[in-house]
Amino acid sequence: MARIRLGFALTGSFCTFRQNLDLMRTLSGEYDILPIFSYHAASLDTRFGKAADFLAEAEEICKKPVIRTIQGAEPVGPADMTDLMLVSPCTGNTLAKLAAGITDTAVTMAAKSHLRNDAPVVIGVSTNDALGGAAKNIGQLLNYKHFYFVPFGMDNCYMKPKSMVCDFARVPQAIELAAQGQQIAEKIF
């Protein structure tokens, strides 16, 4: 029996890259993963690590090259390359682009292309602005067909009062339910 094909897209919430790559490793036992990085995720070195190291690790886990260009991401839907798409971390910038239908990164193009097949996109929020400017985009995406959210909450209410991050332990369940057309039935905030 063929394994479910999961697009795993990372955007620039660099502080969660370690958690997401560990999650990618865990999910690779169950899913055939297609790695996708936004331009910034694929090119910027930060205090959390070097972009080349993150790319190499993702390629080692998935045993395939990371899609990192709009041109590379466009065939995801027409070529039916994924059954599910996980965008984690999903920054406020990417939330806004997804809500507005903007496809100017490999991740947003991959999601748009994937949605052509009426397939689920699971969002793992990680943004310092979830309770600010990004809140309207989260609300909008919660009402769009085929978008599902990993439960998320405040990550540091004293130091970052508007910041939220997904519960990484709940990602496998969120993916499983999204494949059945269901959102996790619990409060998200």
Side-chain angles (χ1 to χ4, degrees):
M1 188 160 132
R3 294 186 339 148
I4 295 172
R5 300 163 302 157
L6 175 67
F8 196 133
L10 285 84
T11 66
S13 180
F14 303 102
C15 62
T16 65
F17 271 30
R18 174 51 34 219
Q19 291 161 294
N20 277 288
L21 287 168
D22 290 347
L23 178 62
M24 182 182 284
R25 189 172 303 283
T26 299
L27 293 173
S28 70
E30 185 175 343
Y31 298 96
D32 178 18
I33 298 178
L34 177 65
I36 305 157
F37 279 45
S38 70
Y39 173 77
H40 289 122
S43 63
L44 296 179
D45 294 337
T46 70
R47 64 187 171 106
F48 301 103
K50 296 191 179 301
D53 294 339
F54 293 132
L55 285 165
E57 185 173 351
E59 290 178 347
E60 180 269 319
I61 293 167
C62 301
K63 309 292 188 244
K64 56 185 70 135
V66 171
I67 292 176
R68 54 179 114 172
T69 66
I70 292 170
Q71 301 90 323
E74 191 279 328
V76 166
D80 193 27
M81 298 167 69
T82 52
D83 301 306
L84 294 151
M85 179 79 58
L86 171 65
V87 182
S88 181
C90 188
T91 61
N93 186 47
T94 300
L95 287 165
K97 290 177 181 192
L98 290 171
I102 297 170
T103 56
D104 64 350
T105 73
V107 170
T108 56
M109 176 57 80
K112 173 202 168 256
S113 185
H114 170 81
L115 286 165
R116 289 174 60 173
N117 298 328
D118 291 327
V121 175
V122 179
I123 303 292
V125 169
S126 181
T127 176
N128 288 328
D129 197 33
L131 294 176
K136 67 181 177 183
N137 299 314
I138 291 169
Q140 196 169 347
L141 289 170
L142 281 166
N143 287 291
Y144 282 178
K145 189 174 183 180
H146 304 302
F147 281 93
Y148 302 88
F149 280 77
V150 177
F152 57 92
M154 298 182 86
D155 60 330
N156 185 338
C157 62
Y158 297 107
M159 299 292 287
K160 302 186 298 182
K162 294 182 180 182
S163 181
M164 291 207 169
V165 67
C166 74
D167 180 350
F168 291 101
R170 302 298 299 276
V171 170
Q173 182 186 19
I175 292 170
E176 185 178 314
L177 288 171
Q180 300 168 32
Q182 298 176 29
Q183 171 65 53
I184 290 178
E186 66 178 56
K187 65 181 182 181
I188 293 181
F189 293 97

